[in-house]
Every structure is written in structure tokens, then in C-alpha cells.
Amino acid sequence: MLILTSVLTTGALTLTACGSRDDGGSGDDSGGDTTLTIGVDAPLSGENSATGLGIQYGVKIAIDDANKKKLVPGVKFVLKALDDKAQPATGQQNASALVGDEQVVGVVGPLNSGVAQTMQQVFASANLVQISPSNTDPALTQGKDWQSGNKKRRYPTYFRTATTDALQGGFAADYAYNGLKKKKVFVVDDKQTYGAGLAKIFREQFKKLGGTVVGTDSVNTGDKDFGALVTKIEDAKADLVYYGGQYDESQLITKQLKEAGAKIPLFGGDGMFTPTYIETAGGTSEGDLVTSVGVPVDTLPAAKQFIDTYKAKGYKGDYGTYGGYSYDAATAIVNAVKAVKEANGDKLPTGDDLRKKVVEEVGKSDFEGIAGKVSFDEFGDTTNKQLTVYQVKGGKWEAVKTGTYNG
């Protein structure tokens, strides 16, 4: 059984000005080393912060490991984490701030696809590499016309270590119809880029398989009362609810749905995959399902030291969703700096030249990360297409199906 633990102990980083959290990597004496910064953008407070903090600390551990092992001799890496509060405008401001910091050689994040849309152009204009461990909207890498087969990469600086909703939505629909044998689904989304896009893909694929969509609705992020929605779902006589969005709203929807007497499961995407969902919904979450990228990090031997360190440090947030992918994203940036330095007579280029060459080397990534193989295709998408369905059993997320989806 997969057991994901939500760590609630106070973390080691301190909040500084401008909504950032800065930390000097391993804390070792760097002597005359050159200091380079890896930025993080994620929701570190408020909505989605449990998963956002998992991203921050995943990068923190990768930086500490790189410094301790001296992966790039003569270079010390430090962390600069900015809180976007899951708001696109704030993310764009953070992107400008990271671009303006000359020590920043790469950025991990953001969590939310809608935030990423506002950041991509900023980073591309500055030749600053961006690797998201969690963005799943296909349009971010393949363009807005990706569904028609007209795929076009607009931002060569953007990569991701998470696979896309084109696969996740179809994988969920297939499991709902063929695995759970559900035939009538009510689909809800939160109107955001990630949630609405995922719900649309699930809805279309479920119908192709022969299922019936008995109703659709949307909610607003921040909503707390879902009584009207619950009534619609009950009246539609659905045998499954599919939700496109984050855990903040879905954990309340399932609670109110079950308390009203509707004993049907709620199924969602990786935005719901956190212990916080179960903690808030309590026993009403039993039987609910999610899909998430990759395979359970707790089952991967390569991730054991990472998980042990995360727990030992008492870091806040949830490492289980994107912590491993964040660690691997940061490692890809470190490896790129190492390759650039070695190719330049063991000296670091300066300014825009360094950033540009780091982008090129990230694109060539080919290594075994703690969460799986790290390499990218021509669009900047990960070549790791594995996905997992989890179900709440006995108050814990348990993996019930792992595989790939090809449509």
C-alpha cells in the first residue's frame, strides 16, 4: 500500500522581502566558488500551497545534494523561491524578478498551467530556461492548435518533467469506463486553464468510449458552498463525478456530496493528489480517485534518500505529487551548467551567453532521475509518459493502476 505523509513541521527557510524565500544551498563554506541561483516559482502560501511547497523543497534538496557532491566544481548553487499565490499576474511579476537577477541560471515551476502562460514569454525573451515539474496543459509546449495536429513549439526555453493532460485525461477516462465500469458521469471544472482543459479531454474521451456525460458545471476557485452543484449531480443520477481542478475545492465538493447522501466517487487529476485532500474531506473521501504523473515516488529506490531527507528536515508540504519531478528538474539545470562549463574550457560563460547555453544543454538532457528517465522531445515535453491511478483506501492514497496511455 502506498502511504504518503503530509509533513506539517515548520520548515527551515525564512520569508524575506518581495515574497521570496532565499536559502544558501547546503550551507557549506563556498570559499571562492562562483554562486549561481536556481529560481522556483510556486504557490507557497494560500491555495495549492501544499503542492507548491513540495516543489520548493524538492529543488532545495537537489541544490543541497549538488553542492555537497560538488557536481559542478567551483560553483555553489543557491535557491531563490518566489510565491505566486497561484495567481497568473503574480507569476508574471516573479518571472520578471527572476530574469532581472543576473545570478539566476534556471527556474523550476510554476505549479499551475494558467500561471505558466504568463511567464513563458518573459523567460523566452531573456533566454532563461524554465522547467515545470507539474504543468500539464498540452498547449504550453505544442501550441493552441495541438488537438488538430498542428503542433508548434513557441517557447524554446520551456520544458516540463510532467506528462500532459492529453494523456492524463484519456488515461482517467479509460479507467473510469473500462476499469470502474462507470457509464454516466457528471463533469465539473474550476474554469482555470488546467482544470477546464483536463475536464474537456476527459469528457471527450469518455464519450468516445461509449459513456454518457449526464451533466456539466463549473465552479469558482475559492468557493466553499456547493449545495446547488450537489443537487444537480443528484438529479442527473450520475454514477461518477469527474472534477478538473485543484484539491482546494474538490475536497469540499466530495464532502458535501457524500453528506447529502450521494454515495458516488469523485475522480480528478493530479491537482487533487495530496494528503491534504483526504485530511480535509475525512471519511467522505473514501473511494475517491485521482490520476497523477509518473509512478508512486515511494516505490522508487532512487527516491528513497530524497524522501528520507525531506522527512528528516521536517519540510512542509507534500513531496509525493511533484517533489521528485522538482528534484529532477533542478538536477537537469545543474547538469546543464556542468556541461556548459566543461565545453568552455572549464570556465563559465557570462551573462546571456551562459543562460542561452544552459537552455541548449537542458534540451540534451538524458539521465536517470529519482522519479524516472529525464529527457525531452522536440516540444520540450518529457519522454516519461507513465501515469498512475490512485484511490483513497483506508484513509490513504493507494496506487491501483500504473501504465501509459496512447489514445
Side-chain angles (χ1 to χ4, degrees):
M1 178 181 291
L2 174 66
I3 299 177
L4 297 180
T5 304
S6 178
V7 183
L8 302 176
T9 313
T10 302
L13 302 188
T14 56
L15 187 65
T16 61
C18 301
S20 70
R21 296 169 187 256
D22 298 273
D23 193 281
S26 67
D28 295 338
D29 182 6
S30 62
D33 288 352
T34 298
T35 298
L36 295 178
T37 300
I38 295 178
V40 167
D41 176 87
L44 307 179
S45 63
E47 291 187 359
N48 311 161
S49 60
T51 41
L53 289 167
I55 292 174
Q56 174 184 333
Y57 292 117
V59 175
K60 171 72 169 72
I61 295 172
I63 287 174
D64 286 352
D65 285 351
N67 289 334
K68 183 178 180 180
K69 297 173 184 176
K70 299 188 183 299
L71 294 183
V72 187
V75 174
K76 177 188 177 185
F77 293 95
V78 298
L79 170 71
K80 183 173 186 178
L82 303 182
D83 183 4
D84 63 30
K85 305 182 188 300
Q87 298 297 320
T90 305
Q92 187 175 49
Q93 293 169 4
N94 289 349
S96 296
L98 290 166
V99 164
D101 185 339
E102 295 181 354
Q103 288 189 342
V104 176
V105 290
V107 178
V108 178
L111 167 67
N112 307 88
S113 293
V115 176
Q117 289 179 327
T118 68
M119 305 178 79
Q120 289 179 300
Q121 181 63 59
V122 179
F123 289 132
S125 297
N127 292 311
L128 182 59
V129 73
Q130 171 189 13
I131 309 177
S132 174
S134 55
N135 294 162
T136 52
D137 178 13
L140 293 172
T141 47
Q142 301 174 22
K144 62 183 179 63
D145 297 323
W146 68 271
Q147 283 184 295
S148 65
N150 183 22
K151 299 178 180 180
K152 182 178 181 181
R153 187 178 186 184
R154 296 180 60 197
Y155 303 105
T157 52
Y158 179 86
F159 300 83
R160 53 178 151 202
T161 50
T163 195
T164 74
D165 290 333
L167 301 182
Q168 183 175 197
F171 189 66
D174 180 73
Y175 188 77
Y177 187 82
N178 293 311
L180 298 176
K181 306 300 181 183
K182 301 298 184 182
K183 307 303 178 186
K184 298 185 294 182
V185 65
F186 194 105
V187 181
V188 185
D189 69 74
D190 65 357
K191 304 179 185 177
Q192 303 302 302
T193 300
Y194 160 73
L198 181 60
K200 179 183 178 183
I201 294 168
F202 175 92
R203 186 173 65 244
E204 292 175 348
Q205 187 59 32
F206 190 76
K207 288 192 291 186
K208 284 182 181 179
L209 290 168
T212 301
V213 177
V214 296
T216 62
D217 204 353
S218 297
V219 300
N220 297 307
T221 56
D223 283 354
K224 305 294 183 185
D225 184 355
F226 299 101
L229 173 63
V230 167
T231 298
K232 290 180 182 179
I233 294 170
E234 289 183 307
D235 290 346
K237 301 190 183 307
D239 55 18
L240 178 73
V241 175
Y242 187 82
Y243 182 76
Q246 305 291 337
Y247 65 89
D248 302 88
E249 289 74 38
S250 58
Q251 63 196 9
L252 298 178
I253 292 173
T254 199
K255 185 176 178 65
Q256 293 174 31
L257 183 66
K258 309 293 178 48
E259 289 176 345
K263 305 302 182 184
I264 60 175
L266 188 147
F267 198 170
D270 53 323
M272 282 172 45
F273 182 49
T274 171
T276 304
Y277 176 87
I278 301 172
E279 291 163 7
T280 300
T284 62
S285 65
E286 193 72 12
D288 287 352
L289 305 105
V290 297
T291 49
S292 191
V293 295
V295 298
V297 68
D298 297 65
T299 68
L300 299 172
K304 184 180 185 304
Q305 185 59 54
F306 164 76
I307 295 170
D308 289 347
T309 300
Y310 200 106
K311 293 179 177 179
K313 293 287 188 180
Y315 288 146
K316 299 171 70 176
D318 167 34
Y319 68 80
T321 313
Y322 306 119
Y325 285 100
S326 302
Y327 183 102
D328 288 345
T331 302
I333 295 171
V334 170
N335 289 347
V337 172
K338 178 181 177 67
V340 170
K341 185 170 181 284
E342 291 176 346
N344 194 49
D346 206 34
K347 295 180 181 179
L348 284 173
T350 58
D352 187 62
D353 192 32
L354 173 58
R355 287 181 171 179
K356 187 180 298 184
K357 290 183 181 298
V358 167
V359 173
E360 294 172 359
E361 292 299 333
V362 165
K364 301 174 186 176
S365 295
D366 187 5
F367 65 94
E368 288 297 329
I370 67 169
K373 181 70 174 292
V374 179
S375 60
F376 306 101
D377 64 17
E378 68 270 29
F379 300 104
D381 284 327
T382 179
T383 58
N384 182 357
K385 308 297 186 183
Q386 289 184 304
L387 291 153
T388 300
V389 177
Y390 298 87
Q391 187 169 29
V392 181
K393 294 187 176 184
K396 303 290 183 182
W397 288 117
E398 180 178 333
V400 294
K401 178 180 175 61
T402 295
T404 57
Y405 180 77
N406 298 311

